[in-house]
Amino acid sequence: MSPEPLPPVAPEVLAEAVGQLTARLRKKLDAAVAECAGKALAGSGGSVEVRFGEDTLVILRPGPSGAVTEPGQAVCSCLLAPRCLHRAAVLGAAPLADADTVPPADPAAPEPSEGTPPPVTAPLTASSVPVTTEEARPSPTPAQVDAAAGLWLAAAEALAAGVTAGGTVVQAELLRAAHSARLAGLPRAEAAALRVVRGLRTARERHRGQRLSDLTAAFRTLLAGAAALASGAAGAEGAGTARRAYAEGGSLRVLGLCREPVLSATGYGGVTTHLLGPDGSLYTLSDVRPGGVSRAKGAGTASVALGGAVLDHAGLARGGLLIAGATVSADGRLGAGRGVRATPVRGADWSQEPVAAFFARPVREAVASSLDAAASAPGDAGPALLGCDVEVLGAADDHLLARVLDGGPLVRLRVAHPHPELAHAENLRRIGGFPGVVLRVLGRPDPDRAATLRPLAVGPVPGASSSLRLPEEWRGHADLGYDRLQGDHFPRPEAGAAPGTPGPAGTDPLADAPLWRVRRLLETGVAGGRRAVAEAARGADRTALGVPLRRAGLAGAAELAEGLAAEADRRPRDSFGRLVDASPDAYARAWLASAVHLDAAERALVTASWS
C-alpha cells in the first residue's frame, strides 16, 4: 500500500498532546516524529493509521472539515494512551490546520469561498477602513494582555532555541500560547505565531523553498505584535479580527487592470484580478481554492463569482463592473455577499483615464507609499501595485535591466512567479530579447531588493514607436502570468541596428551597505539560537561587527547589534556562583530592537534606490 498523507491537526490538539508527556518522553519526541515519515496508511471510514511495531497503532479520524480538531479524533492502542509518545509523535508529524474562523456576521449570508469572506455591516465610503465592534475597543483587555505576555514568553523561548533546538516541544509551547491568544480575541497574534511554527518546521525539514529571511521576518512580526499588546500600547489594530471585515453598501464602479496567478505553499491555487476605482483606489477579486498550479492556470478563465456577473476573470481584467451593494475589506478585497449585484461595463485601455493617471504618478512617490503600506499591514500583505513606463536595456543574469522613462532610475525586472508552468519567466525572457523596447509596466516593488520590480502585466507606451503591438482583444495589455508574448508583438528592429547591451547595473545601496552584517547576525540567531549569536560575535568578530557600521554612519545599527551580541553572551550566576541559563526575555528584546531597526533602515535604502 502506498503511504497516505497525514490530515491537518488543529494547533491546540498538538499542544495538549505534547503537554501530557513526561519530561523523559519529551526528549524522545523529535526522533519519534521523524520515524513517522512515510508510515501513514489509509484506514477504514476515512481514517489514517500509523503503526509502531507490531502491537501499537495510532489512528487519526478527521472531522467533516478534513482536519483533526478534537483530542478524541486521535487514539493510540498502547497502554499509556492518550499520554503516550506515539500519539504525540503522529500529531507532531501532521501538518498544522488553519485557525478556525468566527461565524458570519449575517446568519443568512452564504459561506465564502477562499478569498471572498462574508461581509459585516458597516457604512462604505470610497476608501473606508471598516470599523467593527472589536476595532472600537480603545485598548486590550486584561485577558488579552495576559495572553500576549504568554505569547511573548513562548516566542522568546523559541527564538533563543533557534531552528536547531526548536523541535516539537518548543513548537507546542508556542502553539499553546497561540491558542490562548485566539481564546482571548487576538487572531492576528495567533496567525503570526502559526507562521513562525510553520517556518520552524520548514527550516528543520530543509524544504527546497525555505528562506531563513522569511522566518526572521516572521519572528520580528510576532515579537513586535506581542510586545505591543503585552504592554497595553496596542489597541484594536494589534488585536485584529478573526475574519476579514467587510464594509457594505453603496455603488462602486471598477475597471480591470490585470489578473495574477496565485500559488500558496499549502497547495492552494487560483487567480486574483486587480481592479481600479474612479478615485484611483485599488481593489482585488480573488478565486483561490485547493488545487495548486493546475488550479492557478485554469482559474484565469474561470467565471467571476460576484453578484451574478456574466464574466470570467480574463474578461474582467480587460473590462469592468458596476457593483450595487458592494462589500469591500480594508485591504480592498471585494466580497460576494447575497446582497451584491454586479453588471459588466466597458473597460478602459491603459492609455485612457482613470487608468492612465495611475501610471503617471512619480515612481519614487509610488514606491515609498507602497512599501510603507506593506510595512504597516498585518500578516503577509505585500507591497501595493505601481505602474511606470520603462525602456528595456537588456538581460543581465536572472533579470532584465530597464530605465524608467523621463530621467527615472535604473531598475531590475525580476520574475513575479517563477513556477515553470506559469508564463511569467518565458515572457520576461522574450522581452529581454528586444533591447530598446519601451513598455508600460504594472507590478510590485520588491521590498527586499534595491530598485527591483516584479511585473505582472505590460502594455504599449502611448505615442512610442518602439513599443508593443498587442492584439485588439487584449485591450492594450498582456497579463504576464497567462498571456504569452510572441515575436510579432514586438517592434521590428531597424535595418542594420546592432543589438544593444544593458551596460552596468549601477550601485546597489542595499548590498553595498554594511547592514548585511546585522542581517547575518539576526539570521544566525534564528538558525542557531542564542548560543550561535554569542559564538559569532565573540573575540575579534565583535569588533568587526561595529566598526564598519559606524564608519558608514550607522551608529544606531552598530549599538543595537553590539547590545544583542553582549546579551547573547551573558551568562548569569546563582548565589553559589554557578552558571545558569539567562532569561530569554532580555535577549528577545535586544534581538527585536536590532531587527526592527534593520527593517526600517533597509526599507529606507530600497526607497532611496528608486530615486
Side-chain angles (χ1 to χ4, degrees), residues 72-99:
Q73 294 173 344
V75 297
C76 180
S77 62
C78 78
L79 296 177
L80 293 178
R83 298 176 175 85
C84 65
L85 180 64
H86 315 106
R87 179 173 174 271
V90 174
L91 291 174
L96 287 177
D98 291 331

Side-chain angles (χ1 to χ4, degrees), residues 47-428:
S47 65
V48 178
E49 301 177 351
V50 178
R51 184 172 294 278
F52 291 83
E54 297 182 358
D55 303 325
T56 303
L57 182 67
V58 177
I59 302 176
L60 302 183
R61 296 187 176 91
S65 65
V68 176
T69 57
E70 300 290 340
Q73 294 173 344
V75 297
C76 180
S77 62
C78 78
L79 296 177
L80 293 178
R83 298 176 175 85
C84 65
L85 180 64
H86 315 106
R87 179 173 174 271
V90 174
L91 291 174
L96 287 177
D98 291 331
D100 294 336
T101 56
V102 298
D106 179 5
E111 282 299 317
S113 63
E114 178 71 19
T116 56
V120 297
T121 301
L124 177 69
T125 58
S127 58
S128 63
V129 176
V131 179
T132 64
T133 300
E134 180 181 59
E135 290 176 330
R137 185 173 51 246
S139 61
T141 65
Q144 290 176 325
V145 171
D146 291 343
L151 190 57
W152 165 271
L153 181 59
E157 293 279 4
L159 179 66
V163 171
T164 54
T168 308
V169 174
V170 172
Q171 296 169 24
E173 291 301 318
L174 196 49
L175 293 176
R176 185 188 305 278
H179 182 57
S180 298
R182 180 176 61 168
L183 296 178
L186 301 175
R188 183 176 298 174
E190 180 203 15
L194 294 182
R195 281 194 294 273
V196 169
V197 173
R198 290 191 174 104
L200 286 171
R201 287 186 167 197
T202 301
R204 288 177 64 83
E205 294 166 5
R206 299 182 180 180
H207 283 185
R208 184 177 180 181
Q210 185 266 336
R211 292 177 56 193
L212 194 58
S213 59
D214 293 338
L215 182 54
T216 302
F219 262 113
R220 185 189 70 241
T221 301
L222 172 59
L223 288 168
L229 288 165
S231 67
E237 292 183 356
T241 54
R243 185 185 287 268
R244 178 174 283 107
Y246 278 64
E248 78 176 41
S251 297
L252 180 66
R253 184 186 180 97
V254 292
L255 301 173
L257 287 177
C258 74
R259 58 198 160 132
E260 172 188 11
V262 177
L263 279 176
S264 77
T266 54
Y268 282 79
V271 63
T272 291
T273 297
H274 298 275
L275 307 158
L276 185 72
D279 61 347
S281 299
L282 291 171
Y283 301 90
T284 57
L285 184 62
S286 299
D287 180 5
V288 182
R289 305 174 189 270
V293 67
S294 60
R295 177 74 176 78
K297 293 168 64 178
T301 53
S303 297
V304 173
L306 182 69
V310 188
L311 269 181
D312 59 18
H313 280 271
L316 178 57
R318 294 179 168 93
L321 287 176
L322 179 61
I323 308 173
T327 60
V328 188
S329 73
D331 59 357
R333 297 197 186 192
L334 297 176
R338 286 183 178 176
V340 178
R341 295 292 180 267
T343 304
V345 296
R346 181 177 177 81
D349 189 277
W350 280 10
S351 61
Q352 299 172 338
E353 298 296 345
V355 183
F358 181 78
F359 290 91
R361 188 179 182 186
V363 65
R364 190 181 189 281
E365 175 186 325
V367 168
S369 175
S370 176
L371 296 181
D372 288 345
S376 60
D380 298 322
L385 298 185
L386 69 86
C388 60
D389 296 341
V390 303
E391 178 187 2
V392 176
L393 303 181
D397 298 328
D398 60 345
H399 60 272
L400 303 183
L401 286 177
R403 184 172 296 281
V404 177
L405 297 184
D406 299 328
L410 189 71
V411 299
R412 299 161 181 82
L413 304 181
R414 292 184 180 272
V415 175
H417 298 280
H419 197 287
E421 293 189 40
L422 299 177
H424 288 281
E426 179 184 340
N427 281 329
L428 213 61

Side-chain angles (χ1 to χ4, degrees), residues 452-480:
T452 299
L453 187 65
R454 306 272 182 176
L456 301 179
V458 296
V461 175
S465 59
S466 57
S467 194
L468 292 176
R469 302 170 180 174
L470 301 179
E472 287 189 15
E473 58 269 22
W474 286 13
R475 294 300 303 274
H477 74 267
D479 298 330
L480 295 181

